Amino acid sequence: MSSRIEPITGRYVHLEIEGRPYRIYFEEAGSGIPLLCLHTAGAHSSQYRHLMCDSAVTDRFRVIAFDLPWHGKSNPPEGWQDEEYKLTSSFYVAAVEAFSEALDLDRPVVMGCSMGGRVVVRLALEKGAALRGVIGLEGSDHPSPWYDNSWLESPEFLRGDFCAALVSGLVAPQSPDEFRWETLWHYYQGGPEVFKGDMHFYRTDSDYARDSSTIDTGACPVFLMTGEYDYSCTPENTIETAKRIPGAEAIIMKEMGHFPMSENPAAFREQLLPVLARIAGKD
Amino acid sequence: MFDCLTDAVASRPHLRHIGRYMRSAFLLEVGDTPYHVTVENGAVSAVEVGPFKMRSWDFAIRAPREVWETFWSDAPPPGYQDLFAMTRYGHARLEGNTAPLLHNLRYVKELLALPRTLRQEAGK
């Protein structure tokens, strides 16, 4: 009788992305300003479970996270068995837009991590007027690969335990073991070569550096929050990006790695709450 | 340094299990000192200290002694917490055939960290 039940609810929505139907899983908690959260490559929306159980966030924000097609509990499209999954920049933007429309979200704040922290730059560029702001976690406006492209041809990308080991060093040494390994478990769970398919977007199809200076941060504030231990999107990558976007703010988080919301939720909320308060206060 | 690997792995059945598909020999260089490590089905069957004359290996990880010592500290500073952090920032070099490394990535990463793990366990 004393079991703890979290306030998170999970449901499915049917929508179209680039003309194809998808069954998309999403979770949410709270009410107020929509805060749409985008998971990292090869992972799923559970990365945001701590925020959804934090009343300091959910009192003022409706926190929503969906699994991209092929990820978590969202299906790949019908016919997937004869296709190679490759995430493109245009598909990613269309997916966020389709989901936002399907749930009728009114000027959401979009917060994404890693590849999600990359795509928010394009969202701010092209859809900024329809957004209340973007938060790029471990985000930058252009790719900065840290391993050779030939590695992507390795059969290891079929294996979740390899994907986990590839990213394991991106978790800060200070992050609690429980959450380090939960964060890595999301990578163990990924479908074969889904992480690799996301790398198409992250490594080759997401260079927004040429245009990012045209973002209107008056209409759509841009916050870039990066952990000092992140060697995938380095603090330098983030600071350079913030310098290119007039009005963007870079926050470098001490003792934090590449997965702030899931690797060290207690430390992350201390950094995030002031940012959310500023976005909410602007309204 | 890496002399500890054979015994440390022998007393860790789960680590041996993680590396059970690995058969490889690789080189770990600490400053000028090369350690030649042979892994057979998850057991570290030999750790030999060089210099060697044209000894064969699959891959090599080379870094100055200070870099390894920083890597083995309790909370390594940013850039030193992981093999790939150290290669990204140029503190360490990875050479050779990376296939056996990638195939056994978690296992090798845990081997590299064993000097830190052992010291932390001894301190408890």
Side-chain angles (χ1 to χ4, degrees):
Chain A
M1 296 303 275
S2 60
S3 300
R4 183 168 67 95
I5 295 179
E6 297 181 0
I8 302 172
T9 55
R11 287 192 291 170
Y12 294 86
V13 60
H14 291 256
L15 47 78
E16 277 199 2
I17 307 168
E18 293 190 334
R20 292 180 83 178
Y22 288 90
R23 180 174 185 255
I24 296 294
Y25 177 74
F26 67 100
E27 297 185 340
E28 68 170 297
S31 58
I33 299 170
L35 174 61
L36 179 55
C37 302
L38 310 177
H39 60 74
T40 63
H44 53 76
S45 57
S46 287
Q47 289 179 321
Y48 290 96
R49 72 176 180 91
H50 302 282
L51 279 186
M52 292 190 196
C53 294
D54 186 340
S55 60
V57 178
T58 54
D59 282 353
R60 231 176 345 166
F61 289 86
R62 178 184 174 196
V63 187
I64 313 154
F66 69 97
D67 295 342
L68 275 173
W70 301 80
H71 299 71
K73 293 202 272 195
S74 288
N75 280 346
E78 193 182 329
W80 67 271
Q81 68 277 11
D82 298 319
E83 298 175 22
E84 183 185 356
Y85 168 63
K86 263 188 179 180
L87 182 64
T88 63
S89 182
S90 59
F91 182 90
Y92 200 174
V93 169
V96 175
E97 223 178 356
F99 181 81
S100 193
E101 277 171 21
L103 266 73
D104 209 12
L105 303 182
D106 175 33
R107 289 184 65 231
V109 180
V110 184
M111 176 166 74
C113 186
S114 186
M115 70 171 189
R118 176 80 46 75
V119 82
V120 297
V121 174
R122 179 165 168 181
L123 290 170
L125 251 173
E126 297 175 3
K127 322 279 178 194
L131 303 175
R132 219 166 295 232
V134 299
I135 303 171
L137 306 175
E138 319 307 320
S140 63
D141 61 5
H142 72 112
S144 174
W146 53 271
Y147 54 89
D148 195 76
N149 274 334
S150 64
W151 287 21
L152 290 166
E153 300 314 313
S154 154
E156 311 309 337
F157 280 90
L158 291 161
R159 294 169 35 213
D161 67 310
F162 165 76
C163 297
L166 189 65
V167 303
S168 65
L170 292 168
V171 180
Q174 294 83 1
S175 289
D177 255 1
E178 176 190 358
F179 298 134
R180 166 191 312 277
W181 285 102
E182 181 179 320
T183 298
L184 296 178
W185 177 247
H186 299 150
Y187 285 81
Y188 276 76
Q189 289 180 297
E193 296 196 315
V194 170
F195 177 71
K196 176 185 166 179
D198 287 339
M199 286 303 106
H200 176 71
F201 166 80
Y202 194 54
R203 293 170 67 97
T204 64
D205 193 27
S206 57
D207 192 344
Y208 311 132
R210 206 184 51 186
D211 301 321
S212 59
S213 63
T214 64
I215 292 173
D216 176 6
T217 54
C220 176
V222 175
F223 295 90
L224 301 173
M225 307 173 69
T226 292
E228 63 174 349
Y229 280 94
D230 192 345
Y231 55 88
S232 176
C233 171
T234 65
E236 293 73 25
N237 295 150
T238 296
I239 290 166
E240 286 165 13
T241 300
K243 280 185 183 160
R244 273 190 284 275
I245 305 173
E249 191 170 322
I251 297 165
I252 305 305
M253 299 181 281
K254 291 270 179 207
E255 301 190 348
M256 189 66 85
H258 188 72
F259 312 94
M261 62 288 175
S262 69
E263 71 171 72
N264 198 340
F268 176 54
R269 75 188 290 280
E270 299 303 319
Q271 304 274 347
L272 180 68
L273 288 175
V275 171
L276 292 180
R278 285 172 60 186
I279 292 174
K282 194 171 172 286
D283 256 26
Chain B
M1 293 297 172
F2 289 112
D3 316 78
C4 64
L5 295 189
T6 301
D7 290 346
V9 173
S11 65
R12 286 169 167 72
H14 187 62
L15 185 52
R16 254 186 8 247
H17 178 74
I18 290 170
R20 66 195 179 282
Y21 300 120
M22 185 171 196
R23 291 176 68 87
S24 175
F26 54 90
L27 203 66
L28 302 176
E29 209 168 74
V30 180
D32 294 333
T33 308
Y35 293 80
H36 186 273
V37 181
T38 307
V39 173
E40 292 178 43
N41 302 327
V44 176
S45 56
V47 179
E48 296 163 84
V49 185
F52 303 105
K53 290 177 179 164
M54 293 182 273
R55 173 72 64 94
S56 104
W57 39 263
D58 288 320
F59 60 89
I61 301 168
R62 309 179 197 271
R65 179 172 299 269
E66 314 80 72
V67 168
W68 285 112
E69 282 168 358
T70 308
F71 169 69
W72 288 321
S73 63
D74 284 337
Y80 292 88
Q81 77 273 21
D82 182 81
L83 168 63
F84 296 145
M86 297 197 291
T87 55
R88 164 79 141 166
Y89 289 108
H91 305 313
R93 284 183 296 149
L94 171 63
E95 297 166 5
N97 173 21
T98 55
L101 168 69
L102 298 187
H103 194 59
N104 300 280
L105 190 53
R106 176 179 168 190
Y107 175 77
V108 176
K109 281 191 174 189
E110 295 205 9
L111 286 195
L112 297 181
L114 274 173
R116 179 200 307 133
T117 309
L118 290 173
R119 197 196 60 250
Q120 288 174 334
E121 285 173 358
K124 275 182 188 164

